[in-house]
Structures are given as structure tokens and as C-alpha cells.
Amino acid sequence: MSALAGNASDTGRPPVGGNPAHPEFWSLPAQERAAAFTRLRALERPPFCTDPRTGRGFHALVRHADVVTASRTPEIFVSAPGVTTPEPARWVRALFGDSMVNLDDPRHADLRRIVSRAFTPRLIIETTRNALAHGLHLLTVHPDQRELLLSDLDRHLGGAVEEIVRYSTPIIQFRRTLAADHRLGGAELARDEKVVLFFGSANRDEAVFTDPDTFDVTRSPNPHLGFGGGGPHFCLGAYLARQEMKVLLRELYTRLPGLRSVGEPELIPSSFDNRVRSLGFTFTPPAR
Ligand code: HEM
């Protein structure tokens, strides 16, 4: 049995088995992690999770509503102290400087105003490798959804992209720090404490999504938080990612209609992104 096994309680503190602050949590199979988040969502209030190596921790925001509220209340849930968990080493910050995600207004708004011009739907060029890999795999292991999509690409492509982003949630989490005492989702959060916004858990919130574990390219509405919970840090590349995925899926399935993944994707254990190291594919080359 895994050293992380355990059941949720309603004390506000998760047992080790449901503890996303435990470094080994992120090496568990995806299904076990998803089950742990289901248990955490059922708690009365956001649980406090402690990293056993450091004794430090964060409040885990695992419900859709809490992630949205924290994302849209940037004056309380600030980003400048850093947004990644665990804290990056000091040299990483010194080397890469303060990126936009680690800034608060007004500096953040100034910078975002300048760069956002390059991210309008008309001007965007780049890749979203992980989302695409997850998408091609999901469309292989759900042959009915693949068939539906290929039966009418024009009609279903947009919905398929949204559902791929919801279901696979390529970015797992971002952190915020409390600028003031605040009550959220029934929990008392104190100034300087940290909260982690678990986008993947919010995207499986049964209070918002019908049959959240079902992959459904026709899901509508689909208010997923794969690009963030709204607010000033909402993904600047969302248009780019959507466009890229639509173009790539259309081209791949038009040129190689037999394209299918083989086996399970090899994931790189990470608490930050759902990164695919490798994934095999099979296809029939088009006739010359
Ligand atoms: C499927 C692909 C992608 C996903 C799932 C994704 C997801 C996210 C998420 C969850 C955030 C944090 C939002 C928040 O804290 O509220 C974010 C921020 C950001 N993303 Fe993306 N992203 C994707 C692709 C891209 C691409 C292609 C670019 C640029 C080429 C990009 C640029 C950014 C930037 C600049 C931010 C920070 C914005 C800010 O702090 O103001 N993203 N993204």
C-alpha cells in the first residue's frame, strides 16, 4: 500500500493520502490523484496541507467557486511573493527575474497592456504540446468521441478543444499569498498565508460539471478553469493555444485519419504542469 493512502476527514486538514503538499503525491498515478481531489472537495472547507519536509504549507483551493473567487480578488490574493509551489530556489529567481505571473498591479497591468497586443486572436503564432498530446490520447481512448468529432470537425472542434483543456488541465496549479486576513469557502485565511489554486480539481467539481469524469466533446456549457479562474492573470496565450489546437487537430485528422496513440503517455512527475515525456502513435501514411 502506498505511504500516502488515507481517508479524508472534515477537520480541514487532509490525511497524508490526500495531501498535495507531499512531494510523493505528484508521483501517484493520475487516477489516484484525481480520487484524492474528489475527497478534498467533499471537505467542509479548504484543507490546510503541509509539506512534511519543511513543515510549511498552504490552503488548498480545490473547488471551482473558490478558485474563481481567489483569481478575481487580486488585492487580497497577491502574486508578487511567488506563484509556484514549492518555492523556486533563490538562484532560479535571480536568473530568470520576475516574470509577469509574479507581479501585482500596477506593474503587472502596465506590462500586460504592452504584451497583450501580441496575443490578440489575429496575431498569435506557438505550440501547446502537452495539451495536444493529452487530446490525441483522450480521443484514442474514447473512440465514440473521436468518431463524433471526425463526423463533423466544423461543428465539434471548438468543443473538443475546451473539453481537452478541462479534462487534462495542462497547468495544475498556481499559488497566491494573502495580503490580508480573509474568509473563503468557510476557511479563515490569515495574512501572509499561502493558498494554492488547483485548476484540475476545480475542473472536476461535481457542483459545476455534470458527470465531471466523463470526456464529452459536446459538453455545454463548459466553464472550465484550464486557462485560470479569470482575473488579471488569466492566461494570455489562451487564444493562441485554442487556435493552435484547432489547426493541429484538423490538419492531423484530415491528413492521417487513422492516427491513434499507443499505450499510456509517459508523464513527467510534476506538481505544476501535466507534462508528457513521450507518447507513441500509430497511423497509416497517406497514399502518394
Ligand atoms: C493549453 C495551453 C495553455 C494552458 C492550459 C495555459 C494555462 C495557463 C494558466 C492556468 C495560467 C494562470 C492563470 C491564472 O493564474 O489565473 C496561465 C498564465 C499565462 N499563460 Fe498560459 N496556458 C496555455 C498556453 C499558453 C501559451 C501558448 C502562452 C503564450 C505563448 C501562454 C502565456 C501565458 C502567460 C503570459 C500567462 C501569465 C499571465 C499573467 O500573469 O498576467 N499560455 N496560463
Side-chain angles (χ1 to χ4, degrees):
M1 194 170 88
S2 157
L4 295 178
N7 295 315
S9 70
D10 64 356
T11 60
R13 282 175 193 276
V16 184
N19 184 0
H22 196 299
E24 284 175 33
F25 179 88
W26 299 99
S27 300
L28 293 174
Q31 273 185 341
E32 264 183 64
R33 282 185 274 140
F37 277 114
T38 302
R39 292 198 299 272
L40 293 181
R41 280 195 303 275
L43 297 176
E44 263 175 38
R45 50 190 176 276
F48 192 85
C49 308
T50 306
D51 180 339
R53 294 169 310 176
T54 62
R56 289 199 292 268
F58 53 78
H59 298 272
L61 302 188
V62 293
R63 289 190 205 130
H64 191 279
D66 294 341
V67 172
V68 168
T69 301
S71 300
R72 297 181 189 184
T73 319
E75 62 282 7
I76 299 285
F77 297 91
V78 298
S79 299
V83 290
T84 48
T85 311
E87 296 269 357
R90 213 172 273 203
W91 67 266
V92 175
R93 232 170 146 152
L95 192 65
F96 296 106
D98 275 332
S99 93
M100 247 172 89
V101 290
N102 292 326
L103 295 180
D104 293 310
D105 289 351
R107 229 181 124 207
H108 171 264
D110 288 345
L111 192 60
R112 184 152 169 139
R113 207 169 297 125
I114 296 166
V115 297
S116 61
R117 289 184 204 126
F119 287 89
T120 56
R122 224 154 44 84
L123 293 174
I124 49 182
I125 25 142
E126 254 273 2
T127 59
T128 50
R129 195 181 70 92
N130 290 319
L132 188 68
H134 284 295
L136 290 170
H137 181 61
L138 285 167
L139 288 162
T140 299
V141 297
H142 297 279
D144 57 322
Q145 295 299 301
R146 183 177 182 281
E147 204 175 306
L148 186 64
L149 172 63
L150 297 195
S151 72
D152 194 341
L153 277 171
D154 289 337
R155 183 167 173 202
H156 297 302
L157 204 47
V161 164
E162 298 306 320
E163 184 65 347
I164 288 168
V165 174
R166 181 190 77 88
Y167 201 90
S168 67
T169 313
I171 300 287
I172 295 171
Q173 50 136 305
F174 265 112
R175 171 163 67 83
R176 301 284 192 268
T177 303
L178 272 290
D181 294 354
H182 195 73
R183 192 177 164 81
L184 178 71
E188 300 294 343
L189 313 176
R191 185 189 162 146
D192 293 332
E193 280 189 330
K194 299 179 192 329
V195 296
V196 172
L197 286 60
F198 285 102
F199 302 118
S201 177
N203 283 343
R204 300 291 179 99
D205 191 336
E206 34 298 276
V208 174
F209 301 99
T210 311
D211 298 330
D213 295 328
T214 300
F215 177 68
D216 176 4
V217 299
T218 65
R219 184 180 291 280
S220 177
N222 191 348
H224 69 77
L225 307 185
F227 292 113
H233 289 278
F234 186 78
C235 176
L236 206 42
Y239 286 125
L240 169 61
R242 288 179 167 123
Q243 283 302 112
E244 276 181 331
M245 287 174 71
K246 279 191 224 170
V247 169
L248 286 165
L249 286 173
R250 182 186 289 280
E251 290 299 313
L252 282 168
Y253 283 130
T254 304
R255 291 166 194 233
L256 306 171
L259 182 69
R260 285 182 176 82
S261 61
V262 179
E264 287 299 308
E266 186 191 347
L267 300 179
I268 297 176
S270 163
S271 60
F272 178 67
D273 60 357
N274 230 333
R275 211 176 309 163
V276 178
R277 190 196 302 270
S278 69
L279 178 60
F281 285 93
T282 177
F283 59 89
T284 310
R288 285 183 180 263

